[in-house]
Amino acid sequence: MTTPPPSRSLQRLRDLTSARVGLGRAGASLPTGALLEFTLAHARARDAVHAAFDGPALISGLDGLGLETLAVSSCARERTDYLRRPDLGRKLDQVSRQLLASRNAGPCRLAIVVGDGLSPAAVNAHAVALVRSLMPRLAGERIEIEHAVVASGARVALGDEIGAMLGARMVVVLIGERPGLSAPDSLGAYLTFAPRPGVTDAERNCVSNIHGAGLGYDEAAFRIAWLVHEGLARGVTGVALKDESGGPIAQRIATD
């Protein structure tokens, strides 16, 4: 049994979204092509979760941008522990705490943490390029990244402890987002003012979906820089800080 070609309106909808719509059917099941595409997407998502985190390459890339980068680890030593025990990914191990404590860091405005998260593949692919685009935008606001940290076994909240130990007024965590069936390599940026253990997600801002078919580096950097500047100026992030940057997306909508 063959699947009839999609209607014109359905084809236009497909052109506008990566969602799986109007896949058709073969008897009581999906057509073979649609099933194979789904299976491949699922495999890519699983591979992204278990991809090796290339910490040395990230450190080299960030150092090449003029940042002095530290390497730390969470209490989640193995990937299986990381996936089964999210709490372990929110706490630094003892060696990392000692390393950060030995820095004797004074107060600073901004620290950046690059963590593997649920898609190391996304971080490996996008983190350095995003920081490269972000730095000149921050410089335009007279803000510099004073500390850079690469963290393995990281959940978003690991940045709270790192930021607190570094005396940062704000921390930006770049981390791999949970892989989806259309985007296994999506990067997220989480911004927290006055980071400290116990901060809730309501006190963070997020710029997400940063990848080749999603939010581009320049646009993401524009939004992150605006949120950093306004967060520092107002002393807040999260639900108290709305993205009113009027960035490229907003400008396109206004002119459409």
Side-chain angles (χ1 to χ4, degrees), residues 121-182:
V123 186
N124 296 339
H126 306 303
V128 173
L130 177 58
V131 174
R132 182 182 296 112
S133 183
L134 176 62
M135 289 178 67
R137 293 189 179 275
L138 291 174
E141 302 290 349
R142 299 182 180 180
I143 300 170
E144 64 176 303
I145 299 171
E146 298 176 61
H147 296 286
V149 177
V150 170
S152 60
R155 299 278 177 172
V156 172
L158 189 68
D160 300 333
E161 185 176 6
I162 294 171
M165 294 195 70
L166 292 175
R169 291 190 71 210
M170 181 176 290
V171 65
V172 175
V173 177
L174 304 181
I175 196 165
E177 297 182 307
R178 186 186 308 276
L181 293 176
S182 60

Side-chain angles (χ1 to χ4, degrees), residues 168-244:
R169 291 190 71 210
M170 181 176 290
V171 65
V172 175
V173 177
L174 304 181
I175 196 165
E177 297 182 307
R178 186 186 308 276
L181 293 176
S182 60
D185 63 338
S186 181
L187 186 73
Y190 293 81
L191 299 84
T192 309
F193 182 81
R196 62 206 179 277
V199 169
T200 68
D201 288 342
E203 298 174 75
R204 310 187 201 283
N205 288 90
C206 177
V207 178
S208 64
N209 201 37
I210 305 167
H211 59 95
L215 199 64
Y217 301 140
D218 288 342
E219 187 165 347
F222 177 91
R223 293 180 176 276
I224 294 168
W226 187 92
L227 289 166
V228 168
H229 177 266
E230 292 300 315
L232 289 171
R234 305 181 196 185
V236 293
T237 47
V239 296
L241 179 63
K242 302 300 182 183
D243 184 355
E244 299 170 342

Side-chain angles (χ1 to χ4, degrees), residues 5 21 30 66 71 84 95-96 101 158 162 182 188 200 221 236 245 250:
V21 294
L30 288 172
R84 294 172 180 172
V95 172
S96 298
L158 189 68
I162 294 171
S182 60
T200 68
V236 293
S245 60

Side-chain angles (χ1 to χ4, degrees), residues 78-96:
E78 304 293 336
R79 196 63 177 170
T80 52
D81 296 332
Y82 175 84
L83 296 173
R84 294 172 180 172
R85 292 280 307 276
D87 58 307
L88 295 180
R90 301 184 183 115
K91 299 182 292 185
L92 288 167
D93 65 13
Q94 185 61 33
V95 172
S96 298

